Amino acid sequence: MANQTPGGYNGKILRVNLSDNTISTEATDEVFCRKYLGGAGFVTYFLWKELRQGIDPLAPDNKLIFALGPVTGVPLPGSGRHCVGAKSPLTGGIAKSEVGEFWGAQLKRAGYDAIIVEGKAEKPVYLWIRDGEVSIRDARHLWGRNTKETQQAIRAELGDNLIRVAVIGPAGENLVRYACIMNGLYDAAGRGGLGAVMGSKNLKAISVRGHKAPLISEPERVKELRQWLLANMKLVKEFQEFGTGAVMEGYEISGNLPVRNFRDGLFHGVKMIDAQAVKDTIRVKMEACFGCPVRCKKVVKFEEPYPVDPAYGGPEYETLASLGSNCGIDNLKAIAKGNELCDAYSLDTISTGGVIAFAMECFENGLLSSQDTNGIELRFGNDEAMLKIIELIAKREGIGDLLAEGTARAAKAIGKEASKFAMQVKGLEIPMHEPRLKLGLGLGFMVNPHGADHCCNMHDTMFVTEGQLKEFKPLGIFEPVPIDDIGPRKVALFKAVQLKQIVFDSLVLCRFLPYTYEQVADVTAAVTGWDMGVMEQLGVAERILTIARLFNIREGFSAADDKLPRRFFQPKTDGFLADKPLDTTKLEKAKSYYYTLMGWDADTGIPTPEKLEELDIT
Amino acid sequence: MANQTPGGYNGKILRVNLSDNTISTEATDEVFCRKYLGGAGFVTYFLWKELRQGIDPLAPDNKLIFALGPVTGVPLPGSGRHCVGAKSPLTGGIAKSEVGEFWGAQLKRAGYDAIIVEGKAEKPVYLWIRDGEVSIRDARHLWGRNTKETQQAIRAELGDNLIRVAVIGPAGENLVRYACIMNGLYDAAGRGGLGAVMGSKNLKAISVRGHKAPLISEPERVKELRQWLLANMKLVKEFQEFGTGAVMEGYEISGNLPVRNFRDGLFHGVKMIDAQAVKDTIRVKMEACFGCPVRCKKVVKFEEPYPVDPAYGGPEYETLASLGSNCGIDNLKAIAKGNELCDAYSLDTISTGGVIAFAMECFENGLLSSQDTNGIELRFGNDEAMLKIIELIAKREGIGDLLAEGTARAAKAIGKEASKFAMQVKGLEIPMHEPRLKLGLGLGFMVNPHGADHCCNMHDTMFVTEGQLKEFKPLGIFEPVPIDDIGPRKVALFKAVQLKQIVFDSLVLCRFLPYTYEQVADVTAAVTGWDMGVMEQLGVAERILTIARLFNIREGFSAADDKLPRRFFQPKTDGFLADKPLDTTKLEKAKSYYYTLMGWDADTGIPTPEKLEELDIT
């Protein structure tokens, strides 16, 4: 293949070393782009290639990588996303997270496909990237300020209100292990502690502005796909009206809703905190990412009992459940306030809610006393406690310093029975979906290299009726598999869906857009000019996932780390799942068959030499 | 999925029991059609489901199955094919063979998707199928007559010259283990002895006439694909001009051409017997299958030194090499005569040439004497001997009775060192391609359930340059793999190509048409109305191939049967491969990795229970 730049790419990667202030660029060729696509593919490849084994994720040796995909910033609904990754300070394995807003589209227009940040600045700095010009600027005056203040200050001092900013707040600066990176004020590269890595580098923000529209191989075809989506907005009607979180009552009934640290099933306040309630009570408008007509992002505003700033958007489903039902809280305004605080401090709402729920259960079981908690009555349902704890975590004050370490480390420090209440996989707190209901999702929590991940995963409830299956037929799936099945057919289905999501995360394309898989291949072809079908895309995803596995193995992970918390092998206390614990043997068999399907050793989960050679991983 | 008939299918299977003269029809539903497609898929499924273990392939217990695919008979280039199968009298395993001409299109118009022939008629019969009416007719007067006489007689007695006839000649009647079934006079369901199974049932012919054009889901889309092909005929220009066999000189130079029972490399007469020579000396025209503008089928005619009847077409590459170079024969007219005899008697030209070459080498090595051979000097290069032996085989006279048993059985009967010269896998004679050159093809010869098969196989020379790879990109193949590589990348490539060919054989679509794989998926979608992408098609193929494997395992086959003849592990005597024997260890490793990729046990090649459950094989 010739060394040329395909459509959708700039063919250029920006490397910034903050230790010695060097800024350089590197060219990428077509073979590399086609082998790794971009986004999660680029992030995974560079972390695996460039990081030394055993480094401290919060040391200058770690690298923080921002990668666009060929689709990022193309005028197409769902193209507003990119991927960020690093060695995770929370899991010690590979971390990556996709995020929307307009930042990625700006970076594409500024002339880069990725940024690799190395080293550590002597004092706080921020990056300023404008149309291929890059500078490292003093950020001492921004340190300690929240995300909104920082974004405003940067825009003001650079004199351009259209600058897009990826930024950390105090939680990132304070190395909270699940601090996130905010794009603007309500889009987070949330999971795995990427904001702490950014903080460890004394990097406060990356501000971007660009003007060069990406070259597209077949603009007319992209236009047609855009028009198809506009003509089929009915497919996302509910999503457009509510964003995530419209079906929480159904989740409670089916048992999918986490209640009180995944302990319980029933949550009578569910209708008070769902997206309908948000719409009816505190929502003022909906917002969108770059190029997207769906506008799925809630914006909320109120003044009493405390003001919530609409600049920080509003809570998504994950937040409604993690700060809500999973903490036993049915006060929507408190949840919205908690959401605002997390966005302002740059905290992952899923891990934050998970840590708080864990602490609440520890408190209720006498493993934490009110002396430990700075006098806070840290009980399920105490919304004021929840808000206070968020502040303490972000500032690492009092109990917050312990909880800033994440559930797994906190459980270890507390000792005794605390690990029973630690709802995490590989150190990453469980998101708001229930593996006792969705068994394939449980397998995904187990084997995902990033830990418990609900995005790069299947949701078994989407494969139950024939109507639902239509979209998956191009993957070879045309017969329903029951939700509670975890046999080989479910495993094969999980693998296909997981690989497809990696394609989305590498292009990068939003999973909420109703493109069929064949349309996704069409999007890729139209943007890049490659004749890239579904099958080739799945091959690319297999390569990326196998490299992520290799990364973790290098860091000492083994098959023993691919496991769910013990609680899932017990029933819920009430509700639909009160008699439906998971079965260890079945899950372990499924895991082994998943390894087999991936070409990894069935027992150890280590990729076989033959598979590595086949995938050209060297 | 609803129980309805998708486009391209009649939804009806004809079952004829010749023992008790019952004729019945069975409905197929959409789920079944989508799971097995048709053609090779249907054949494999029914043989596996309906045959008892251990039956004699020539006993009434065997079933002979003719299956169309959804594409068979659709007005589209390459759609003139169907598949025939049975338990093979040659290998004892599963046999299936695809064949062109117009017979399949007629059966589609007569209202059926398949015919399952069971039992054995008391006296010779033929079937007459006309627009859904089926009769079993006396064929005593046809028994012993060659294919042309039979076809003419049937058309005359039924009073319709447009009737299409699948027919056996004396070789089928005489149960020659590699007798084929002829569609018309020059298209053979060639391999595995299907003509002997037909003969064992006292079934002389199946004559078909139908008038109901198949229903197509999206006729306009089919028309577009047809027009695309017509506009791109340049892609098959050489093929159109010569049919197969144009590049035999190149084959000789590269070592691909089998010479004297695969022993030698150089064959100085190669230019005298290639398709160019056919065109320049004896060819009178080109003919076509149903719906095909390519017209790749040679027709030859001459009177001296013996007449050759143009009604029997002319020799394809496989015949030019098997009766030519592989027997050391450079007399083109003798090869054309041999081709005519095989077509008239219904003999597979590949196995026939293979058996004769084997016998020649035995003769030259003193394992057969001229007493054994009825006085024939059975030496390489003796074209008259070759023609005489064909007659003896068809009639099972003298040495012909032994050779009618096939190479493997004959070698056993001759004993001593004869097995060294038996070029076969699982009993099926090796077709005219050299595994010492094409290592992936060698793996295909080993593992194919039907024995050494060059159609459902890869030709490594097609994956060497980037230009060649374009077509394979939708399969995830976008980097060349060297011809002589047999590592994991080659194995994965082989698997993809093998599965894709099974899709072709199940649709049924001609492999020589230059549709891309994505166009093949488009063809399927346009005909059936299913949104069936490349990926789903590969899944279907995996199911079919795994069932074929199960069939053979039931019959006692094991991994030990997946092996090449010893000769391939020695170099050729001269030419390009004079220093390039195959490496047993590498081939065995490749075989094991192939099993792994298929989800079969890496050592035994037995499909794992998990894979069976995943593929819904029950």
Side-chain angles (χ1 to χ4, degrees), chain A residues 147 167-169 171-172 176-182 187-191 193-196 198 342-343 345-349:
Chain A
T147 53
V167 57
I168 55 168
V176 175
R177 286 186 186 270
Y178 44 91
C180 63
I181 299 171
M182 298 300 296
D187 290 275
R191 310 231 65 199
L194 299 165
M198 194 154 159
C342 286
D343 288 353
Y345 291 135
S346 74
L347 279 171
D348 173 27
T349 59

Side-chain angles (χ1 to χ4, degrees), chain A residues 1 466 474 489 535 593 614, chain B residues 1 466 474 535 593 614:
Chain A
M1 217 173 277
E466 283 177 22
R489 283 175 62 217
M535 178 74 187
Y593 191 56
E614 179 198 330
Chain B
M1 214 172 282
E466 282 177 20
M535 177 75 189
Y593 191 55
E614 180 198 330

Side-chain angles (χ1 to χ4, degrees), chain A residues 1-2 31 34-35 466 470-471 473-479 485 487-489 492 496 518 531-536 538 540 543 589 593 596-597 608-611 613-616, chain B residues 1-2 31 34-35 466 470-471 473-479 485 487-489 492 496 518 531-536 538 540 543 589 593 596-597 608-611 613-616:
Chain A
M1 217 173 277
V31 171
R34 192 156 177 161
K35 266 179 85 172
E466 283 177 22
K470 199 175 169 350
E471 190 195 346
K473 286 183 179 167
L475 300 186
I477 296 155
F478 48 99
E479 284 189 86
D485 180 304
R489 283 175 62 217
E518 272 154 346
D531 50 344
M532 188 178 232
V534 171
M535 178 74 187
E536 177 177 345
L538 294 180
V540 170
R543 180 177 299 115
K589 268 182 80 167
Y593 191 56
T596 302
L597 287 185
T608 62
E610 290 84 359
K611 178 53 75 174
E613 190 176 337
E614 179 198 330
L615 296 175
D616 200 17
Chain B
M1 214 172 282
V31 171
R34 192 156 177 162
K35 265 180 86 173
E466 282 177 20
K470 198 175 169 346
E471 190 194 347
K473 286 181 179 169
L475 299 186
I477 295 157
F478 48 98
E479 284 189 86
D485 180 304
R489 284 175 62 214
E518 273 155 345
D531 51 347
M532 187 179 232
V534 172
M535 177 75 189
E536 178 177 345
L538 294 179
V540 170
R543 180 178 299 115
K589 268 183 79 166
Y593 191 55
T596 302
L597 287 185
T608 62
E610 291 85 357
K611 178 54 75 173
E613 189 175 338
E614 180 198 330
L615 295 174
D616 200 16

Side-chain angles (χ1 to χ4, degrees), chain A residues 104-159:
Chain A
Q106 284 296 325
L107 185 65
K108 179 69 69 78
R109 280 159 181 70
Y112 300 102
D113 294 327
I115 309 174
I116 301 175
V117 182
E118 308 176 333
K120 178 185 181 175
E122 208 177 323
K123 46 188 177 17
V125 296
Y126 74 94
L127 290 188
W128 168 221
I129 300 169
R130 188 179 189 282
D131 288 326
E133 291 190 19
V134 183
S135 53
I136 302 172
R137 296 175 63 98
D138 190 355
R140 278 176 295 181
H141 59 301
L142 302 172
W143 209 247
R145 293 167 80 174
N146 70 28
T147 53
K148 183 179 177 184
E149 292 161 352
T150 307
Q151 176 173 284
Q152 284 177 332
I154 288 175
R155 285 177 173 170
E157 74 184 48
L158 298 175

Side-chain angles (χ1 to χ4, degrees), chain B residues 83-299:
Chain B
C83 180
V84 191
K87 179 172 177 179
S88 170
L90 195 59
T91 72
I94 193 165
K96 60 108 199 153
S97 206
E98 290 76 33
V99 54
E101 203 242 12
F102 294 73
W103 188 93
Q106 284 297 326
L107 186 65
K108 178 68 67 79
R109 279 158 181 71
Y112 300 102
D113 294 329
I115 310 174
I116 301 175
V117 182
E118 308 176 333
K120 178 184 179 175
E122 208 177 322
K123 45 187 176 14
V125 296
Y126 74 92
L127 291 187
W128 169 220
I129 300 169
R130 189 181 187 283
D131 287 325
E133 292 191 16
V134 184
S135 54
I136 302 171
R137 295 176 63 96
D138 189 355
R140 279 177 294 181
H141 58 301
L142 302 172
W143 207 246
R145 293 169 80 174
N146 70 27
T147 53
K148 184 180 177 183
E149 293 161 353
T150 306
Q151 177 172 286
Q152 283 177 334
I154 287 175
R155 284 177 174 170
E157 76 185 47
L158 299 175
D160 183 350
N161 254 326
L162 294 177
I163 287 169
R164 296 293 171 169
V165 184
V167 57
I168 54 168
E173 298 173 12
N174 294 328
L175 311 181
V176 175
R177 287 188 185 268
Y178 44 91
C180 62
I181 299 171
M182 299 299 297
N183 270 5
L185 307 183
Y186 47 86
D187 290 274
R191 309 234 63 200
L194 299 165
V197 176
M198 194 154 158
S200 76
K201 299 192 172 307
N202 273 332
L203 180 62
K204 181 66 177 175
I206 302 180
S207 43
V208 187
R209 187 84 164 96
H211 297 85
K212 203 188 78 198
L215 286 174
I216 295 167
S217 181
E218 297 179 56
E220 281 306 310
R221 219 166 137 195
V222 171
K223 207 167 152 189
E224 277 168 30
L225 283 155
R226 179 178 166 74
Q227 275 158 353
W228 175 87
L229 193 92
L230 292 172
N232 286 279
M233 289 295 282
K234 62 181 188 302
L235 296 172
V236 282
K237 195 172 173 297
E238 198 191 73
F239 197 58
Q240 225 182 349
E241 189 176 352
F242 295 108
T244 54
V247 290
M248 286 174 70
E249 191 181 19
Y251 281 11
E252 190 225 3
I253 293 168
S254 69
N256 189 52
L257 186 73
V259 179
R260 297 178 201 89
N261 201 30
F262 289 87
R263 185 188 67 191
D264 306 335
L266 301 179
F267 188 66
H268 298 302
V270 65
K271 289 291 287 171
M272 297 162 66
I273 63 168
D274 67 5
Q276 178 76 54
V278 173
K279 183 183 178 196
D280 293 345
T281 60
I282 57 175
R283 208 176 83 186
V284 291
K285 61 174 175 173
M286 297 295 273
E287 279 294 354
C289 294
F290 169 85
C292 194
V294 179
R295 308 188 70 77
C296 73
K297 311 192 68 67
K298 308 171 185 70
V299 176

Side-chain angles (χ1 to χ4, degrees), chain A residues 522-576:
Chain A
D522 268 0
V523 165
T524 315
V527 170
T528 63
W530 298 328
D531 50 344
M532 188 178 232
V534 171
M535 178 74 187
E536 177 177 345
Q537 297 203 319
L538 294 180
V540 170
E542 201 183 355
R543 180 177 299 115
I544 295 166
L545 183 55
T546 297
I547 290 180
R549 183 94 190 162
L550 291 177
F551 183 99
N552 279 1
I553 289 169
R554 186 168 69 189
E555 297 300 330
F557 284 76
S558 74
D561 296 297
D562 293 345
K563 65 159 193 252
L564 291 174
R566 278 176 287 165
R567 170 155 282 168
F568 291 134
F569 300 96
Q570 297 150 9
K572 288 200 174 193
T573 57
D574 51 17
F576 183 71

Side-chain angles (χ1 to χ4, degrees), chain A residues 252-253 255 257-260 263-270 325 572-577:
Chain A
E252 191 226 4
I253 293 167
L257 186 74
V259 179
R260 297 177 200 90
R263 186 188 67 192
D264 307 334
L266 301 179
F267 188 66
H268 299 301
V270 64
S325 60
K572 288 200 174 193
T573 57
D574 51 17
F576 183 71
L577 299 175

Side-chain angles (χ1 to χ4, degrees), chain A residues 212-231:
Chain A
K212 202 188 80 202
L215 286 174
I216 296 168
S217 182
E218 297 179 57
E220 280 308 309
R221 219 166 136 195
V222 170
K223 209 168 152 188
E224 277 168 32
L225 283 154
R226 179 179 168 74
Q227 275 157 353
W228 175 89
L229 193 93
L230 292 172

